[in-house]
Amino acid sequence: MPAHAAHHNDREIESLDEFDATVSARATLAGYRVQAVDLTDRTRELLTTDAAGAVFLGCPMREDAAAKVRADGAMVFPPVPDLPFDPYRGLVYSPDELFASLPDGYEATPDALAYAWFQQTKADGDILASMLRSVHDDSISDALDELLRGARVVGVMGGHAMARGTEAYAGAARLGRELARAGFTVATGGGPGAMEAANLGAYAAPYDDAMLAESLRLLAKAPKFTPSVTEWASAAFEVRAQWPKGGASVGIPTWFYGHEPPNPFASHIAKYFANATREDGLLARCTAGVVFLPGAAGTVQEIFDNATPNYYESRGEPTPMVLVDRAHWTERLPTWPLLQALARERSMESRIALVDRIEEAPGVLKRLGG
């Protein structure tokens, strides 16, 4: 992000560049919210700049600077020691951040350590830990809203069990690529399987067909994240290293399902502790529609989580919903007949579709108004 003054109407400062630009341009921090910025080397600026009404969230600073801004009337929420994550973070995660230390094994990564902390504190029932999880998730939601402002977001939902090396996985990747090339921001649940495939497709969008074909071949060496997340993730990073300038997309996973790692092809990862917040937030941000690939209970839940606000129009005009694989959604898990019945004689009736083949989804999505 280029250096400039705080770029949000709510006066947030989320980087050292923004802090420097704001102090230089405005000569005040009054009323600003400074979020997870290391201010240890900005003591002079803090001592000489008015901070009345400012809030500092998890910003390391020297004690004399902290005392001065408090005297100005600022609120200072200090960093929390010994946490494997920053509850006040101002940005969503990157794959490199969550998978740091992967060569030492997945168990050493920040992603795995955060899950282990979650499991321990959830069992303890610690109110402080519960508060920190809530603050973290709210910070992630704020960062995600800023990231997606103005974007045409299409969600791709589907099961985590879809293995690399299968035609279904390749089809989901081609879908993600076509959506990204059409100017949509692809958003998924951020996990393995169909979710990873769609993020991979968006990553492959700037490259030719040969890149995707070779990527699929390399990934097939580690078809699933079991028995080794390390091997599964390492194969993805091998692809990223060979083609480092991939397209952007979003993954929105959760530590609630911590046994499922996030996939490294989503360039922006908004990972939550609370699955309910994550599920609702993912679907609410898919403003240009959702494509539902074959899945099981989780995907069925997502279909009706998406259908409910479309039915009541609680988020405004209904958004497109495209279900892929007629046999799956009418015979194996007969979700489509119920969705049709709900939609009958309502505005959403013209915004739902069932297609046989994944290749049909982008065209149908466009026809439905995506």
Side-chain angles (χ1 to χ4, degrees):
M1 183 178 293
H4 53 71
H7 57 290
H8 314 298
N9 292 334
D10 47 5
R11 299 163 69 86
E12 293 177 12
I13 295 174
E14 297 166 342
S15 71
L16 204 53
D17 284 344
E18 286 186 1
F19 178 87
D20 291 340
T22 300
V23 170
S24 175
R26 308 288 177 86
T28 182
L29 292 168
Y32 280 85
R33 279 77 176 104
V34 190
Q35 194 170 349
V37 179
D38 189 343
L39 300 175
T40 306
D41 294 330
R42 294 298 185 273
T43 300
R44 180 178 61 82
E45 289 81 357
L46 292 170
L47 292 176
T48 57
T49 305
D50 178 32
V55 179
F56 296 87
L57 298 165
C59 298
M61 64 180 74
R62 300 193 188 283
E63 187 52 43
D64 54 343
K68 185 268 180 186
V69 298
R70 286 192 183 98
D72 283 349
M75 296 181 66
V76 179
F77 293 80
V80 182
D82 302 322
L83 279 182
F85 63 95
D86 183 354
Y88 304 115
R89 60 181 300 116
L91 303 172
V92 298
Y93 294 96
S94 70
D96 289 334
E97 185 178 5
L98 285 177
F99 284 98
S101 304
L102 183 63
D104 297 327
Y106 173 69
E107 294 73 17
T109 65
D111 185 63
L113 294 173
Y115 176 57
W117 176 90
F118 179 35
Q119 290 297 97
Q120 177 186 341
T121 58
K122 184 174 65 173
D124 292 344
D126 183 356
I127 186 63
L128 174 62
S130 177
M131 183 195 74
L132 292 171
R133 292 195 297 268
S134 296
V135 170
H136 169 274
D137 286 0
D138 191 62
S139 297
I140 289 293
S141 290
D142 181 63
L144 189 57
D145 285 339
E146 292 164 9
L147 175 71
L148 296 178
R149 189 168 292 144
R152 297 167 64 216
V153 181
V154 170
V156 179
M157 309 298 156
H160 68 269
M162 184 184 289
R164 296 167 173 175
T166 63
E167 179 51 38
Y169 184 96
R174 290 192 292 269
L175 171 65
R177 185 178 63 176
E178 185 166 348
L179 292 171
R181 287 177 173 175
F184 294 108
T185 296
V186 173
T188 76
M195 297 171 279
E196 180 190 56
N199 288 127
L200 167 65
Y203 189 88
Y207 293 97
D208 60 16
D209 290 352
M211 176 270 181
L212 182 57
E214 179 63 11
S215 297
L216 292 170
R217 187 190 68 79
L218 291 172
L219 292 171
K221 295 185 299 182
K224 295 190 175 185
F225 65 92
T226 56
S228 173
V229 175
T230 303
E231 292 181 9
W232 175 86
S234 295
F237 278 100
E238 181 182 347
V239 170
R240 284 167 48 93
Q242 192 160 338
W243 295 278
K245 297 182 179 179
S249 67
V250 177
I252 307 181
T254 173
W255 279 295
F256 183 80
Y257 298 128
H259 60 286
E260 292 182 15
N263 80 74
F265 291 111
S267 53
H268 305 288
I269 302 176
K271 191 154 190 178
Y272 287 85
F273 287 105
N275 186 48
T277 304
R278 167 253 191 175
E279 286 278 11
D280 185 67
L282 168 58
L283 293 166
R285 291 174 174 87
C286 295
T287 52
V290 183
V291 178
F292 296 93
L293 303 179
T299 310
V300 171
Q301 177 183 345
E302 288 165 342
I303 289 172
F304 291 105
D305 280 348
N306 195 208
T308 300
N310 282 343
Y311 179 90
Y312 290 110
E313 299 187 43
S314 56
R315 293 177 183 147
E317 186 178 348
T319 52
M321 300 177 65
V322 181
L323 278 62
V324 176
D325 191 328
R326 188 175 302 273
H328 185 84
W329 295 120
T330 61
E331 298 172 18
R332 287 189 286 276
L333 293 174
T335 302
W336 174 250
L338 178 53
L339 184 62
Q340 269 190 313
L342 280 172
R344 192 167 296 124
E345 298 181 358
R346 302 187 76 88
S347 298
M348 67 180 286
E349 187 171 20
S350 63
R351 295 297 187 94
I352 65 171
L354 174 66
V355 299
D356 285 313
R357 297 180 301 110
I358 200 168
E359 291 78 13
E360 300 174 70
V364 172
L365 185 73
K366 184 176 180 180
R367 176 173 60 78
L368 296 181

